[in-house]
Amino acid sequence: MIRRIIRIDEGKCNGCGACAAACHEGAIEMVDGKARLTREDYCDGLGDCLPACPTGAISFEEREAPAYDEEAVKASRKTLACGCPGTAARSIRREERLERAHAKAESELTQWPVQIRLLPVNAPYFADADILVAADCTAYAYGSFHEDFIRGRVTLVGCPKLDPVDYAEKLTAIFSANSIRSVTVARMEVPCCGGIERAVRSAIDASGKDIPLSVITISTDGRIL
């Protein structure tokens, strides 16, 4: 059938994930750092995702598409609290752990501040540094975050969903002005975290440097995927 449906221009998409969060039907997913309409039958054509997009990558078009399947959307919502996996409420059961005396973990943080927006571009600790760019939620989800990720690295923290800035510009300045040895991105599995990975990749490209990059994705129940 011919009907109104959204169109996503991947060339304009910056991978922030705002549209996936705004789509209550779950029709949009983040794939390889880009928003994609993965379920045409979930798209109602009302366009809640349009105003959420900061780059104007989403528009309407009239074309051949499957009919909107309201019942399938309702069935999907029974297993997912809303269209965005990042806001789906859930409880995570943990096995009871016995307290161990004198087993307090020590902080591995070696610099301050840590928020990307607050970090000075030319701080001395950036010289020959291994950088960790971490989404805010990662340290809460992953139990040994200090030991496994922060140790030996300069830590930069942010949330592309909540911070009204484009991290790529600041990260480009840091990468360009300093001798960075490597960058590790720690992100959550939820779509909105694609924005922080996208910003780092863009910043490395814009810096013109060959900086090794590794991306670690953490599940909402604290596993490395």
Side-chain angles (χ1 to χ4, degrees):
M1 64 180 296
I2 303 295
R3 70 181 184 93
R4 187 169 77 161
I5 196 168
I6 67 160
R7 177 182 179 275
I8 301 175
D9 184 340
E10 290 194 8
K12 293 181 179 180
C13 176
N14 67 0
C16 70
C19 58
C23 178
H24 303 298
E25 286 71 31
I28 301 173
E29 296 182 24
M30 302 305 295
V31 180
D32 296 330
K34 294 283 188 176
R36 291 187 186 174
L37 179 61
T38 57
R39 290 297 303 262
E40 293 185 350
D41 57 332
Y42 281 19
C43 178
D44 58 11
L46 297 179
D48 287 345
C49 53
L50 268 72
C53 180
T55 64
I58 303 177
S59 60
F60 286 121
E61 64 178 350
E62 296 278 342
R63 64 173 175 84
E64 183 72 31
Y68 171 58
D69 192 340
E70 185 176 3
E71 292 305 315
V73 171
K74 289 179 179 179
S76 175
R77 284 176 174 174
K78 290 180 180 180
T79 57
L80 185 60
C82 69
C84 175
T87 58
R90 58 174 299 198
S91 297
I92 300 172
R93 296 179 62 86
R94 305 288 187 190
E95 292 183 5
E96 186 175 353
R97 294 176 173 85
L98 297 177
E99 292 187 5
R100 293 174 295 172
H102 311 298
K104 291 183 178 179
E106 297 293 333
S107 173
E108 297 290 345
L109 192 66
T110 58
Q111 106 284 341
W112 189 265
V114 295
Q115 287 291 332
I116 296 173
R117 290 188 298 169
L118 302 180
L119 283 157
V121 171
N122 294 301
Y125 45 73
F126 282 131
D128 298 319
D130 293 304
I131 300 292
L132 170 67
V133 181
D136 285 348
C137 297
T138 53
Y140 294 94
Y142 188 78
S144 300
F145 196 81
H146 275 249
E147 179 180 354
D148 292 354
F149 291 105
I150 295 180
R151 178 181 291 174
R153 297 186 177 101
V154 174
T155 303
L156 289 66
V157 177
C159 176
K161 186 177 179 69
L162 300 180
D163 285 346
V165 295
D166 180 5
Y167 293 137
E169 182 177 351
K170 181 66 170 288
L171 293 173
T172 298
I174 291 174
F175 297 162
S176 299
N178 300 280
S179 53
I180 305 300
R181 293 193 302 183
S182 70
V183 178
T184 299
V185 173
R187 55 161 293 183
M188 298 298 295
E189 63 176 325
V190 297
C192 49
C193 258
I196 204 162
E197 178 182 343
R198 178 72 175 173
V200 171
R201 292 186 184 277
S202 296
I204 291 176
D205 289 342
S207 74
K209 296 183 177 181
D210 185 18
I211 304 175
L213 170 67
S214 61
V215 179
I216 308 297
T217 302
I218 299 171
S219 68
T220 53
D221 59 359
R223 296 173 292 110
I224 295 178
L225 300 177

